[in-house]
Amino acid sequence: MRAWRAYIVGSQMLEYRLHRDLAESHDLALADYEILVRLSEEPDHRMRMSQLASTVASSKSRVSHQIARMEAAGLVERTECPSDGRGVFAHLTRKGWELLQTAAPTHVDGVRKNLIDLLDPEERAVLARIFERVIGHLRGSGC
């Protein structure tokens, strides 16, 4: 119970702090930042919407609404998949790329200061193994 409660409270506090830092410094939500990061890591800075939803562990519907909001802000655009008329890509725009470049140092600093630097190398390795196992288990069970 101690581990569970510490995880719940600690992860929520960390997420809140990282979100607040991005919102105050860059007018950017943490969830939107994660979308920008995922797209920036892909060839041509684009990804199928269904894959993007899976990558950020969200529903297709939620990501679709999020992308619509980000598209209105000029951060991403949607394009049809040329090989599959049903498929839709989310594509990082120049404005989205520039915002990501500006916001990334704030996010990295927050993650380091509020998590990574608090752990020794062995603890970081254990934390990574734990959550890789949890992710594997939940993805294997259809989540």
Side-chain angles (χ1 to χ4, degrees):
M1 186 60 71
R2 177 177 157 222
W4 175 246
R5 288 184 177 161
Y7 161 75
I8 290 296
V9 172
S11 64
Q12 288 176 348
M13 289 175 71
L14 178 61
E15 186 172 333
Y16 172 78
R17 174 69 57 90
L18 296 173
H19 173 80
R20 188 189 74 194
D21 290 349
L22 287 170
E24 287 178 356
S25 299
H26 307 283
D27 195 27
L28 180 65
L30 179 60
D32 294 350
Y33 175 84
E34 288 299 326
I35 294 285
L36 297 177
V37 168
R38 302 295 189 218
L39 292 175
S40 76
E41 296 171 338
E42 291 297 309
D44 299 324
H45 294 175
R46 70 179 187 170
M47 185 185 294
R48 286 181 86 110
M49 293 283 289
S50 57
Q51 182 185 1
L52 183 58
S54 176
T55 303
V56 296
S58 189
S59 70
K60 291 176 188 176
S61 174
R62 173 177 262 160
V63 167
S64 181
H65 290 294
Q66 186 177 357
I67 291 294
R69 190 174 33 73
M70 293 175 74
E71 191 173 27
L75 303 176
V76 298
E77 60 186 12
R78 287 187 254 204
T79 57
E80 290 184 13
C81 176
S83 63
D84 177 3
R86 296 173 296 157
V88 176
F89 285 104
H91 186 267
L92 185 62
T93 64
R94 177 178 290 293
K95 181 178 179 182
W97 174 256
E98 290 170 356
L99 178 57
L100 176 61
Q101 296 303 303
T102 303
T106 301
H107 179 70
V108 170
D109 181 58
V111 170
R112 291 195 70 77
K113 182 172 54 177
N114 297 298
L115 179 64
I116 300 303
D117 292 346
L118 302 176
L119 307 175
D120 64 39
E122 183 180 330
E123 290 170 322
R124 290 192 297 265
V126 168
L127 185 64
R129 284 195 307 272
I130 289 168
F131 282 99
E132 287 164 352
R133 187 179 314 148
V134 169
I135 291 166
H137 168 77
L138 293 173
R139 284 200 172 139
S141 67
C143 292

